Amino acid sequence: MLDIVSVLLAVGLLTLLIAWGKVQPLLAFVAASLLAALLLGVPLARIPGAIEKGIGDLLGSLVVIICLGAVFGKLIADSGAARRIATCLVDALGPRRLPIALTITGFVVGIPLYYNVGFVLLVPLIFSLVYSSGRPAVALAIPLLAGLSIAHGFLPPHPSPVALVAAIHADMGTTLLYGILVAVPTLIIAGPVFAMTLTRIQAKPAAIFQESQQAPIAQLPGAFNSFATALLPVLLLGATTLLTMARPDLNGVLAFFANPLVVMLVSYAVAIVSLGLAQSRSFVTVMQGPAEAMREIAPILLIIAGAGALKQVLVESGVSADLGALLSGLPVSPLVLGWLVATVIRICLGSATVAGVTAGGIVAPLVQSSGVDPNLMVLAIGAGSLMCSHVNDSGFWMFKEYFGLSLQDTFRSWTLMETLVGVFGLLFVLLLSQLLSL
């Protein structure tokens, strides 16, 4: 029991440093790891090595994948492919089905783009549709942002799902396939269905969006090129995973091509050609994007590194196994416990990425002791990491300020949408678990 209290104190210090002290997350994780190691009786000489090993082990398998995902998404955004996807879907479905078009846009564009990039990129599109259609801005925005949020929390190659796959030894391709099965019904409920209740909320957008200037449509990449390139990582991971299940005799070859590092490298190489060189952009110009993308992804890598340090301290001290035994003994589904841990951390800290990777380190022993499907645990934790976004989440304030809303209307729209994503995400994970066990 004393060991569990020590873990709670360490997590409490982490929460205090990040939420109240605004300490950089890596430093907060290291401080919490040191406290946990001291309280749990890890020998002093082993503490620095444990922290370094945790950082190295987790980042070692992820840093290239996450960085490739960042530069790939940056190229999708800079080339105009994301905007082409959005305008193509809006045109195809027509003005009467704008919420559905924006729902699909948010999900499709959200797969290659990190959340903040997709948010900033697509908000001008939302307001241009608002001014041309006369529809309420919030009711149009929520379906699109729900798609972005679900992709961010559930699907590789986003940082939190990728880190969770590594932390609890899940399979990237299987997690992606299960994630899509869970994401689609969750998105329908939290997106266009929920948006129907928001038509009376009046937005007052920032003046910058009232006359948004963007490149002419004719200068954007073609629709097929944009869709095919943006979805290439999903298609490659999904196809190789299904082929591995169908043809076990090809495991050796498929294992290479199904590796997320190879998938992201191939996808980025294709994108350089299809969205760069083939669009009359020089190679030097195309290569200017990765530098900015690396700056954007660096803070997320540091968060993942810090979570790895805390996880390794728990393993070194032996409390990880005790924690797994304690949690597995509770009369609650392991998937619900993983979701609950992520939810509590999300409410305390605000960041979905911090909540996801921290919860992964805590519940990793539960996956081993309970025998629960690790791919489903990634999704359950992802759902919990999106719960109850409020005033300590940057996304909350971005939405409020971009749309000029009151706090009450922001809670009514943004916070409730994120909560619906978290709750129904868990429900559909549990349903999928039952179906897979039949």
Side-chain angles (χ1 to χ4, degrees):
M1 186 63 185
L2 185 60
D3 288 349
I4 304 302
V5 172
S6 299
V7 174
L8 292 176
L9 287 173
V11 174
L13 176 63
L14 177 69
T15 302
L16 186 66
L17 291 175
I18 295 178
W20 179 77
K22 307 302 179 186
V23 175
Q24 201 282 331
L26 174 62
L27 301 178
F29 269 112
V30 170
S33 301
L34 286 170
L35 177 62
L38 293 171
L39 293 176
L40 294 169
V42 177
L44 292 177
R46 287 172 48 195
I47 293 176
I51 291 175
E52 292 170 2
K53 183 178 188 304
I55 292 173
D57 285 355
L58 191 53
L59 274 188
S61 60
L62 300 180
V63 64
V64 177
I65 298 171
I66 292 176
C67 288
L68 282 171
V71 297
F72 177 76
K74 181 68 175 171
L75 183 50
I76 296 294
D78 289 348
S79 66
R83 187 173 163 228
R84 169 64 78 182
I85 290 170
T87 54
C88 180
L89 287 170
V90 169
D91 291 343
L93 292 174
R96 294 182 59 188
R97 299 183 180 86
L98 277 181
I100 297 174
L102 290 173
T103 301
I104 300 172
T105 298
F107 188 63
V108 172
V109 172
I111 292 173
L113 263 63
Y114 291 132
Y115 185 84
N116 287 349
V117 176
F119 189 110
V120 173
L121 181 72
L122 293 176
V123 161
L125 169 70
I126 294 171
F127 285 116
S128 68
L129 293 174
V130 168
Y131 296 131
S132 63
S133 69
R135 295 198 177 197
V138 173
L140 285 183
I142 284 295
L144 185 146
L145 297 179
L148 287 177
S149 185
I150 288 172
H152 172 72
F154 291 0
L155 303 180
H158 287 272
S160 183
V162 168
L164 283 169
V165 165
I168 62 179
H169 308 293
D171 177 76
M172 195 81 72
T174 305
T175 299
L176 177 62
L177 292 176
Y178 288 176
I180 292 173
L181 292 176
V182 169
V184 171
T186 302
L187 178 57
I188 292 171
I189 294 170
V193 173
F194 173 58
M196 294 169 64
T197 70
L198 304 175
T199 54
R200 294 188 178 182
I201 295 180
Q202 297 298 316
K204 298 177 181 177
I208 189 174
F209 296 117
Q210 293 179 8
E211 293 184 2
S212 178
Q213 299 294 321
Q214 295 184 309
I217 294 293
Q219 296 180 14
L220 302 179
F224 177 79
N225 185 6
S226 299
F227 275 97
T229 306
L231 295 176
L232 187 57
V234 174
L235 297 175
L236 289 177
L237 268 177
T240 50
T241 300
L242 292 174
L243 281 173
T244 301
M245 296 176 181
R247 294 288 304 274
D249 55 307
L250 297 178
N251 257 355
V253 176
L254 290 174
F256 173 78
F257 288 104
N259 186 286
L261 188 153
V262 175
V263 167
M264 291 310 305
L265 193 59
V266 169
S267 299
Y268 183 50
V270 170
I272 289 173
V273 176
S274 63
L275 298 178
L277 304 181
Q279 305 299 318
S280 302
R281 299 174 65 193
S282 70
F283 186 78
V284 173
T285 302
V286 173
M287 287 298 105
Q288 290 174 354
E292 186 176 345
M294 294 299 182
R295 287 193 295 271
E296 293 170 356
I297 202 63
I300 296 176
L301 289 174
L302 294 178
I303 291 171
I304 293 171
L310 181 58
K311 175 192 174 185
Q312 189 60 33
V313 165
L314 300 182
V315 172
E316 292 276 341
S317 66
V319 74
S320 186
D322 297 338
L323 192 60
L326 174 67
L327 292 174
S328 62
L330 295 176
V332 180
S333 164
L335 296 172
V336 175
L337 287 173
W339 175 87
L340 188 59
V341 171
T343 295
V344 171
I345 298 173
R346 161 72 157 174
I347 292 172
C348 293
L349 299 182
S351 168
T353 302
V354 174
V357 296
T358 306
I362 293 173
V363 305
L366 175 62
V367 176
Q368 299 174 0
S369 62
S370 67
V372 68
D373 188 329
N375 305 293
L376 294 178
M377 181 61 85
V378 170
L379 301 177
I381 293 174
S385 74
L386 298 174
M387 283 286 292
C388 302
S389 169
H390 61 98
V391 295
N392 62 359
D393 178 19
S394 62
F396 177 94
W397 293 105
M398 287 176 66
F399 183 78
K400 177 186 181 302
E401 297 304 320
Y402 272 55
F403 287 84
L405 301 177
S406 66
L407 277 174
Q408 179 180 344
D409 285 340
T410 309
F411 281 115
R412 167 72 177 84
S413 53
W414 170 265
T415 302
L416 190 50
M417 178 272 286
E418 291 282 80
T419 303
L420 288 172
V421 168
V423 170
F424 282 96
L426 173 65
L427 291 177
F428 286 118
V429 167
L430 294 174
L431 177 60
L432 181 57
S433 174
Q434 292 298 314
L435 293 175
L436 292 173
S437 64
L438 294 178

